[in-house]
Amino acid sequence: MVSLSITDSGRDIKISYSEQKEIVYINDALTRSKRDAKYNPTKNSIVRFCRTNNTIPIALFQTVKTIIQDNKLEYEFLEEHKLYRDIKKEDVISWCKNEVIGTEYADFDMMDTFDTVYEMVRNKHARFILSTSYGKTISLYLATKYLIDNGHEERILIITPKPQLSSQFIGEVLGMQKSGENFKYSAWQSKTKQKNTQVVVTNFQFAVNISPEISKLVIRLSFLKSFKNFFFALSSLL
């Protein structure tokens, strides 16, 4: 039996196990070299896995849960409900449908995108990998707007790998907005001051220069003094 629990800091999940083979399965899957390893804090690994006390960042719970299920291991996680918001799927889908009315997406079948948006806003800590041309920009746009419009978050920080992608993201989002939309985005990067907007977009290269700690904790930004009012962070690094 694999037992998961949230640590006192609220940032990590501790993995307890009854048989050695259970932790071997998890350890092997988490440290196997992958294409996306360069975006993670531990060289040649998928995620940071602390072998000293068997902990992982809380945002990687879904990854560990998948590993456990794939290996047909029994597990319990009594605090799992704390990782999710009390949001109904039908409410999110209805809201999304209304948002795309009058946009270029109105004539497309967007149900897969709406399902993704629901998972994004429901999960407080999660990792999503979306394929090329899936619709990452529209998914992020709808997810961030839903969280703010419905009072779940006050401000949101989005990180991209490069400055060009930050500019591209903002440009595409502005093109999606309806006339008179009062949902504001701004860029926080070299030669551009942080603006007091609902969503701030920065890039990994710039963020690392601000604080080297970000290179170790890419998906945790709440400790940054300048972002003490940010309650949610979306990372589009992968």
Side-chain angles (χ1 to χ4, degrees):
M1 169 73 75
V2 178
S3 179
L4 307 178
S5 59
I6 300 175
T7 60
D8 292 339
S9 69
R11 293 183 172 183
D12 297 289
I13 289 180
K14 182 175 177 58
I15 304 172
S16 302
Y17 55 94
S18 55
E19 296 184 40
Q20 183 65 29
K21 69 175 183 179
E22 296 171 332
I23 199 65
V24 168
Y25 287 137
I26 296 173
N27 182 39
D28 178 64
L30 290 178
T31 57
R32 193 181 303 118
S33 179
K34 291 283 186 176
R35 172 179 61 84
D36 58 350
K38 61 183 179 180
Y39 293 126
N40 291 278
T42 305
K43 186 177 181 181
N44 295 325
S45 67
I46 301 177
V47 300
R48 182 178 65 84
F49 178 63
C50 182
R51 295 178 182 80
T52 304
N53 52 12
N54 293 330
T55 62
I56 59 163
I58 199 169
L60 295 161
F61 159 66
Q62 290 181 318
T63 301
V64 171
K65 184 176 180 179
T66 299
I67 295 169
I68 291 172
Q69 292 174 334
D70 287 349
N71 287 282
K72 297 179 172 57
L73 303 175
E74 292 186 19
Y75 88 101
E76 63 175 7
F77 186 12
L78 301 179
E79 303 169 289
E80 185 172 347
H81 65 281
K82 294 182 179 180
L83 304 185
Y84 305 102
R85 294 182 178 87
D86 185 18
I87 295 176
K88 295 181 179 178
K89 186 173 183 178
E90 56 267 30
D91 292 341
V92 175
I93 292 178
S94 176
W95 181 92
C96 287
K97 287 180 177 178
N98 185 64
E99 280 298 311
V100 299
I101 292 176
T103 70
E104 61 180 295
Y105 298 96
D107 297 328
F108 293 93
D109 181 358
M110 300 288 290
M111 288 308 299
D112 286 344
T113 299
F114 297 162
D115 286 342
T116 300
V117 172
Y118 166 67
E119 292 299 332
M120 284 181 167
V121 300
R122 174 176 176 259
N123 288 277
K124 294 181 181 179
H125 310 275
R127 177 189 183 192
F128 296 92
I129 300 178
L130 305 180
S131 62
T132 302
S133 299
Y134 179 86
K136 291 185 284 295
T137 302
I138 183 64
S139 298
L140 283 172
Y141 170 68
L142 291 174
T144 54
K145 193 171 189 300
Y146 179 90
L147 289 171
I148 289 177
D149 282 1
N150 292 277
H152 295 288
E153 305 296 341
E154 293 184 10
R155 299 184 74 194
I156 293 175
L157 174 66
I158 294 178
I159 303 179
T160 68
K162 299 177 181 179
Q164 298 90 328
L165 292 177
S166 295
S167 300
Q168 177 184 331
F169 178 83
I170 293 177
E172 291 179 356
V173 163
L174 293 177
M176 295 175 188
Q177 292 185 330
K178 299 177 183 179
S179 177
E181 183 73 70
N182 193 34
F183 189 58
K184 304 297 184 182
Y185 281 75
S186 66
W188 185 43
Q189 52 195 30
S190 181
K191 298 181 181 180
T192 303
K193 294 182 179 180
Q194 175 188 354
K195 298 178 181 179
N196 187 28
T197 57
Q198 294 160 308
V199 180
V200 173
V201 183
T202 189
N203 63 85
F204 180 63
Q205 295 174 348
F206 179 65
V208 168
N209 290 331
I210 298 171
S211 172
E213 291 298 315
I214 299 182
S215 63
K216 301 177 183 178
L217 303 170
V218 172
I219 56 177
R220 298 174 186 165
L221 301 169
S222 59
F223 59 86
L224 280 175
K225 293 182 178 179
S226 59
F227 280 96
K228 62 183 179 181
N229 295 321
F230 280 68
F231 300 107
F232 182 78
L234 278 174
S235 172
S236 54
L237 283 171
L238 299 178

